[in-house]
Amino acid sequence: MPNAQQQAYVDRIRNYPAQLDELLATIGEGELDNRITADEWSTRQIVHHVADAHTRALLLFKMTLFEDKPSFVPWKQDVFAETDDYKLPLDDSLGIIRGIHHRIAVLLDSLDEAQWQRTAIHPTRGEINVEQLAALYAGHGDSHIAQINKTLGRA
Ligand code: NI
């Protein structure tokens, strides 16, 4: 049973797909590939990135819960963002994001306090527990919503 802070992270993760859908509904197809500069991601790339990152997150949560202080392997986000599957329609990733967020929320809802405190080694942050990982991914999703708004010149 999560405490109030933990529950807040779970709720943000649970509500994220609806929030993202709401934002994307305001964006025209013609705007999806706009970039502020050549080295920044388009909205399309950001959405596919969130699907990759949060699919990975589900596995990181499970490794942390069920392995003995695992070390997370870094991933090449910028290389991934240039692969052909990042040119697909958004729906190919929005379905993944919806499913993954539901699964992470159900998983986290089921944890006891000892499980929330289990730890792993993050490549840049060092030792990290499940609660900090939940905070990290709740914040990660939000930061990419802010990035989409910025990409569209809205913030
Ligand atoms: Ni990211």
Side-chain angles (χ1 to χ4, degrees), residues 20-64:
L20 184 61
D21 284 347
E22 204 177 301
L23 170 61
L24 294 173
T26 69
I27 301 175
E29 181 69 31
E31 295 176 283
L32 290 179
D33 296 307
N34 292 355
R35 303 182 188 212
I36 301 174
T37 61
D39 59 354
E40 293 201 51
W41 290 346
S42 65
T43 297
R44 187 186 307 277
Q45 286 171 299
I46 294 166
V47 170
H48 292 310
H49 161 77
V50 169
D52 275 357
H54 295 187
T55 298
R56 177 171 175 270
L58 175 63
L59 299 177
L60 298 183
F61 279 116
K62 291 204 166 174
M63 287 166 62
T64 308

Side-chain angles (χ1 to χ4, degrees), residues 59-75:
L59 299 177
L60 298 183
F61 279 116
K62 291 204 166 174
M63 287 166 62
T64 308
L65 287 167
F66 302 114
E67 294 176 21
D68 183 22
K69 205 184 274 195
S71 289
F72 299 159
V73 177
W75 61 305

Side-chain angles (χ1 to χ4, degrees), residues 41 49 53 77 140 143-144:
W41 290 346
H49 161 77
Q77 311 184 33
H140 180 256
S143 75
H144 283 299

